Amino acid sequence: MSDAAFSVNAVPSENGVGTLELATRAARDGAADASEAAAQFWANSSLMVSRLLYNTAYTLSYGVVFPVAYVARAIPSDNAAVQGVVEGAEAAARKVDDLLNRP
């Protein structure tokens, strides 16, 4: 028996293309299709993750800021506790400005 009898490429298909060439072309096309599908999946999943993070952050910030602002508006501003909080917040803001403006 000759080596050509066992060659995969020696068996032509209907259109004259060898089996090995056909398998190579199918693998190349499959890899291109898989790459395109992966890129599409990544684009869709990154959009979904982005929306999930945005909605989570929005809900948490709204859930924290609204009740705090509502309670803060209900407390009279002419007492020592409120004046202490305001002055402490101003001092903290000045300290942060000092720390960030240093070379």
Side-chain angles (χ1 to χ4, degrees):
M1 295 192 145
S2 69
D3 289 334
F6 294 107
S7 173
V8 176
N9 211 11
V11 181
S13 63
E14 293 176 5
N15 61 1
V17 177
T19 306
L20 184 59
E21 289 179 43
L22 189 60
T24 303
R25 186 181 310 150
R28 186 174 45 242
D29 292 346
D33 290 345
S35 176
E36 184 179 328
Q40 185 67 26
F41 173 77
W42 180 253
N44 290 341
S45 65
S46 66
L47 178 63
M48 181 183 70
V49 169
S50 172
R51 292 298 300 170
L52 177 69
L53 288 174
Y54 172 82
N55 287 337
T56 301
Y58 182 91
T59 302
L60 286 174
S61 65
Y62 188 87
V64 169
V65 171
F66 180 75
V68 169
Y70 187 75
V71 169
R73 299 283 266 171
I75 297 174
S77 61
D78 58 348
N79 64 39
V82 173
Q83 290 173 357
V85 169
V86 170
E87 290 176 10
E90 289 172 351
R94 281 192 305 273
K95 183 67 174 175
V96 168
D97 286 339
D98 290 343
L99 290 173
L100 293 178
N101 289 330
R102 289 186 182 170

